[in-house]
Amino acid sequence: MAVRKQQHLYAVASWAQSRPYMKMKKLDSTKSTVIKSEQLLRIEEHDFAMRPGFGTAAIPVGIDVQVESIDSISEVNMDFTMTLYLRHYWKDERLAFPSTSNKSRTFDGRLVKKIWVPDVFFVHSKRSFIHDTTMENIMLRVYPDGNILYSVRITVTALCSMDFSRFPLDTQNCSLELESYAYNENDLMLYWKNGNDSLRTEEILLSQFFIEEFNPSNGLALYSSTGWYNRLYINFILRRHIFFFMLQTYFPTMLMVMLSWVSFWIDRRAVPARVSLGITTVLTMSTIITGVSSSMPQVSYVKAVDIYLWASFLFVFLSVIEYAAVNYLTTLEEMKKLKTRGKIPVNFNTTQAMAFDGCFHDDEIDLTPYPEVSITTDGTERRNSSINLPAEGHRLSRKRSLKQNVSYIMTNSHIIDSYSRLLFPFAYLVFNVIYWSLYT
């Protein structure tokens, strides 16, 4: 009996000690705080489905933005992704409350759903969301006189109409546009709260772009069925870094073009070597062009990189065509000399000769050798050549006609390689000077 009485007294004492903790917990509960805030702001006494000052002049809503980061820029989708802090400022006298200390009260997103807030949205946005880790990134600050600050942290992906006519030496102008969805200029007036200082940015580093400028602007947008709306713009200019494309596109292209010139120094009878080199450079250029095109949107105009790649491809292709001409003229030259010596029938044509290995040749034939120069005992030069010199008193012809020049080149095919060694590099150098002077 004594033991049971002692247990009862111990239970009563424990209950008495826990009563202050239970009262404290009840006073500090979230539900109790929200009810007090709603009573203080008199939320139940007003219809917050209507804007402040309904039926009077348009309510001014100030905006300022702090750009946290530009997450990505996609040329293929023509859009950009930006994370920013969007802050709204307006006055709603229905939320004014008495305060002796004149201090504001700060709330989270739970109270936002019960009052009126501006319905600002992003024009031309593809995707957007409010961050919610660990809670929704929403802040509402109410001042005793009814002034309100409403701030949200948003990531938005929006359209950017890009012009790639100068790609990759281009500069892109993009903008993020803000506008009220339901309220036109007669009901809501959007404006930058602090003018040009309303847009602030942190240090933003991008892999392929350099941000040249960030500036705000405003304007009006007309919708035929609902009227005029205030619109705010966040404008920024992006200049592309060229070094990446120099390493990945321009330098390999230059090397392929210069590699195609090596065939001009290879003997014209080495058909496998020159053909293999020409085909290899052509296929490599095709791979470079395909790789660049796959990472770009399918636009209907010519880009700067297309001009450079296709011009370089043309130089490589012409080097292959040059050898085809040299090969054909060499075969004609050999056929002519063999017919002169009577080694082949007169009716044996060039097509039959080239049908075997692409170039008919005879090891016994010397193809248009350069005149040999020998030094006589008296120190004068004497040329050993089978060319008959004109008799004394005859005037030498100083200038050949065009037909004679063509005929001379056709009978001396090695001259084509000699000229190509100079003309191809010079023409490519001129092209590069013109190209880089126009686009840089």
Side-chain angles (χ1 to χ4, degrees):
M1 188 72 179
V3 174
R4 186 176 297 176
K5 185 176 181 181
Q6 184 178 2
Q7 290 177 348
H8 176 71
L9 293 175
Y10 177 77
V12 171
S14 299
W15 178 79
Q17 290 178 359
S18 63
R19 286 191 64 186
Y21 173 75
M22 294 174 62
K23 290 181 179 179
M24 185 182 299
K25 184 176 180 182
K26 184 177 180 180
L27 292 175
D28 290 344
S29 65
T30 304
K31 183 176 180 181
S32 177
T33 304
V34 172
I35 292 175
K36 287 186 176 181
S37 299
E38 293 178 359
Q39 292 175 350
L40 177 67
L41 300 176
R42 304 188 307 278
I43 291 177
E44 300 296 335
E45 299 178 8
H46 303 282
D47 182 10
F48 284 97
M50 309 297 292
R51 69 171 180 87
F54 179 77
T56 60
I59 175 175
V61 177
I63 299 289
D64 74 41
V65 172
Q66 181 175 345
V67 179
E68 180 181 354
S69 64
I70 297 179
D71 304 318
S72 64
I73 298 173
S74 173
E75 291 89 355
V76 176
N77 299 322
M78 285 195 180
D79 59 26
F80 64 92
T81 301
M82 178 185 293
T83 300
L84 52 89
Y85 298 93
L86 178 62
R87 303 184 180 97
H88 312 69
Y89 302 85
W90 76 95
K91 186 174 184 178
D92 191 346
E93 295 181 351
R94 296 173 295 184
L95 296 177
F97 60 91
S99 175
T100 56
S101 60
N102 201 28
K103 291 183 178 180
S104 62
R105 293 210 172 194
T106 302
F107 307 94
D108 56 19
R110 287 172 288 188
L111 189 63
V112 172
K113 300 176 182 178
K114 300 181 179 181
I115 65 171
W116 182 90
V117 294
D119 59 340
V120 175
F121 78 104
F122 298 99
V123 185
H124 306 309
S125 66
K126 297 181 178 180
R127 296 173 299 276
S128 61
F129 63 91
I130 298 175
H131 290 259
D132 56 1
T133 306
T134 56
M135 291 285 292
E136 280 190 319
N137 297 172
I138 298 176
M139 184 204 58
L140 181 71
R141 182 171 295 169
V142 182
Y143 293 87
D145 58 355
N147 283 308
I148 299 173
L149 165 61
Y150 171 52
S151 176
V152 292
R153 181 169 175 255
I154 302 176
T155 293
V156 56
T157 300
L159 175 69
C160 178
S161 298
M162 301 182 183
D163 180 15
F164 297 107
S165 59
R166 300 178 65 89
F167 177 88
L169 306 166
D170 56 333
T171 300
Q172 301 297 340
N173 297 321
C174 297
S175 63
L176 185 63
E177 305 172 10
L178 295 84
E179 183 182 305
S180 172
Y181 188 83
Y183 300 99
N184 58 25
E185 64 172 352
N186 297 322
D187 290 320
L188 189 145
M189 181 183 68
L190 279 180
Y191 69 97
W192 291 111
K193 181 173 177 57
N194 300 312
N196 292 333
D197 296 331
S198 301
L199 180 61
R200 294 183 292 273
T201 60
E202 300 179 0
E203 185 178 0
I204 300 175
L205 297 177
L206 301 176
S207 59
Q208 290 192 26
F209 291 93
F210 172 75
I211 302 176
E212 289 190 337
E213 184 180 351
F214 252 114
N215 62 352
S217 62
N218 55 11
L220 290 173
L222 175 63
Y223 296 89
S224 58
S225 57
T226 54
W228 292 90
Y229 290 77
N230 294 113
R231 182 176 293 183
L232 303 181
Y233 301 87
I234 302 173
N235 307 306
F236 54 98
I237 301 176
L238 303 172
R239 179 167 54 85
R240 195 182 304 274
H241 293 304
I242 186 61
F243 188 70
F244 171 80
F245 295 94
M246 292 296 295
L247 292 178
Q248 298 294 322
T249 304
Y250 285 100
F251 285 159
T253 301
M254 293 178 185
L255 292 177
M256 286 300 104
V257 175
M258 289 187 285
L259 182 62
S260 68
W261 301 339
V262 175
S263 65
F264 303 148
W265 275 266
I266 300 177
D267 184 73
R268 50 184 165 154
R269 292 183 177 182
V271 178
R274 294 189 67 163
V275 171
S276 300
L277 181 59
I279 296 301
T280 300
T281 52
V282 168
L283 293 178
T284 305
M285 283 299 305
S286 300
T287 303
I288 295 175
I289 293 173
T290 303
V292 173
S293 300
S294 62
S295 61
M296 292 296 299
Q298 306 300 318
V299 295
S300 59
Y301 50 85
V302 179
K303 302 180 290 292
V305 68
D306 294 335
I307 296 175
Y308 194 89
L309 290 177
W310 283 104
S312 300
F313 183 84
L314 179 62
F315 275 94
V316 173
F317 180 75
L318 288 178
S319 68
V320 178
I321 298 300
E322 184 269 349
Y323 178 62
V326 170
N327 190 9
Y328 180 75
L329 295 177
T330 300
T331 304
L332 288 180
E333 184 180 347
E334 292 181 343
M335 288 287 297
K336 183 178 180 181
K337 291 189 176 182
L338 287 174
K339 288 180 180 180
T340 303
R341 298 183 181 184
K343 290 189 175 183
I344 60 173
V346 178
N347 59 355
F348 193 78
N349 57 33
T350 311
T351 305
Q352 292 173 323
M354 298 184 67
F356 297 98
D357 62 352
C359 180
F360 179 78
H361 55 81
D362 191 339
D363 295 335
E364 298 179 0
I365 297 179
D366 296 328
L367 295 175
T368 58
Y370 293 102
E372 297 181 0
V373 179
S374 60
I375 308 298
T376 59
T377 55
D378 56 355
T380 60
E381 294 183 358
R382 181 169 60 84
R383 296 181 180 270
N384 298 327
S385 177
S386 60
I387 301 175
N388 295 325
L389 297 177
E392 185 178 355
H394 289 197
R395 179 173 297 177
L396 295 176
S397 176
R398 295 187 177 182
K399 187 176 182 181
R400 297 189 184 96
S401 64
L402 178 61
K403 184 178 181 180
Q404 290 175 334
N405 287 330
V406 173
S407 178
Y408 179 75
I409 292 174
M410 291 182 66
T411 56
N412 298 271
S413 56
H414 65 277
I415 296 179
I416 300 178
D417 278 343
S418 301
Y419 285 158
S420 298
R421 295 169 189 172
L422 298 176
L423 291 179
F424 273 74
F426 177 75
Y428 195 64
L429 177 62
V430 172
F431 164 73
N432 274 274
V433 170
I434 296 174
Y435 178 87
W436 294 107
S437 61
L438 286 177
Y439 288 102
T440 57

